[in-house]
Amino acid sequence: MVDLENHFRACCEENDLTIKLSFDMPEGYETANGTFDPVVNTLFINMARLRAMPDYEQLFYLYHELRHAIQYSHPERFSELVAKSRIYAVMYDGVCYKLADGIWKKCRFDGSEEYFTEMYLGQPYERDANEFASEKVKAIFGDFEELC
């Protein structure tokens, strides 16, 4: 099994991050692989879900969430589009959030899961996090089909 905590510490050092790591998912995120919440400055990893995944996939989700932590902690390192988009979240089920004054404001839109999946994956900060995680994992495991 891959040592997620070691990769977490190394990435935090490389990117000047001072965040916490928790394996206890916040309420409402029990089915997520992970999430980063800038309000509590914590990266949450769902080991109950990741435990059954191959090492490369576990690392992908860790690095994906670490990228979000970098986006929130150092928005000046990113394009204006990524920096602006990071305060909005559209989830697969139509639940949406906006971070305003340190509070996540929540609403819900109607539509199909397919529509919201497309919206979720198209968010600039999500695309950036996926690219970052893929590159990190490829650097460790090499370039193979599952990561393309």
Side-chain angles (χ1 to χ4, degrees), residues 90-95 111-118 120-121:
V90 177
M91 310 312 285
Y92 295 111
D93 60 359
V95 172
S112 69
E113 185 174 332
E114 181 180 287
Y115 175 75
F116 290 117
T117 297
E118 190 175 317
Y120 173 82
L121 293 173

Side-chain angles (χ1 to χ4, degrees), residues 59-71 78 82 85 120-121 123-137:
L59 280 177
F60 177 88
Y61 290 114
L62 175 72
Y63 281 115
H64 178 97
E65 297 307 330
L66 279 163
R67 184 60 162 197
H68 289 319
I70 299 165
Q71 291 166 343
F78 297 90
V82 169
S85 71
Y120 173 82
L121 293 173
Q123 295 171 105
Y125 69 94
E126 288 296 341
R127 289 194 326 262
D128 176 73
N130 283 335
E131 290 171 14
F132 177 81
S134 290
E135 291 304 314
K136 289 298 236 180
V137 172

Side-chain angles (χ1 to χ4, degrees), residues 3-147:
D3 185 351
L4 295 179
E5 291 182 67
N6 187 45
H7 286 274
F8 172 82
R9 283 190 299 275
C11 190
C12 285
E13 283 180 28
E14 288 173 21
N15 292 282
D16 192 29
L17 291 177
T18 307
I19 62 172
K20 295 172 268 191
L21 176 63
S22 175
F23 295 108
D24 297 318
M25 294 300 288
E27 185 178 332
Y29 286 83
E30 296 84 4
T31 61
N33 294 318
T35 190
F36 175 72
D37 187 346
V39 174
V40 294
N41 202 37
T42 303
L43 189 149
F44 297 92
I45 292 293
N46 191 343
M47 283 310 296
R49 289 183 56 89
L50 269 59
R51 185 173 287 121
M53 296 177 183
D55 288 352
Y56 71 86
E57 201 167 348
Q58 292 180 33
L59 280 177
F60 177 88
Y61 290 114
L62 175 72
Y63 281 115
H64 178 97
E65 297 307 330
L66 279 163
R67 184 60 162 197
H68 289 319
I70 299 165
Q71 291 166 343
Y72 282 100
S73 300
H74 301 290
E76 72 282 355
R77 296 181 186 176
F78 297 90
S79 70
E80 184 178 350
L81 188 59
V82 169
K84 279 185 170 183
S85 71
R86 78 192 196 293
I87 65 167
Y88 299 95
V90 177
M91 310 312 285
Y92 295 111
D93 60 359
V95 172
C96 303
Y97 298 93
K98 178 182 180 185
L99 183 60
D101 299 321
I103 299 168
W104 286 106
K105 310 283 183 166
K106 182 179 176 180
C107 71
R108 177 181 278 284
F109 294 124
D110 291 327
S112 69
E113 185 174 332
E114 181 180 287
Y115 175 75
F116 290 117
T117 297
E118 190 175 317
M119 283 185 71
Y120 173 82
L121 293 173
Q123 295 171 105
Y125 69 94
E126 288 296 341
R127 289 194 326 262
D128 176 73
N130 283 335
E131 290 171 14
F132 177 81
S134 290
E135 291 304 314
K136 289 298 236 180
V137 172
K138 285 177 185 178
I140 296 166
F141 290 98
D143 198 7
F144 59 98
E145 191 173 318
E146 287 87 348
L147 293 175

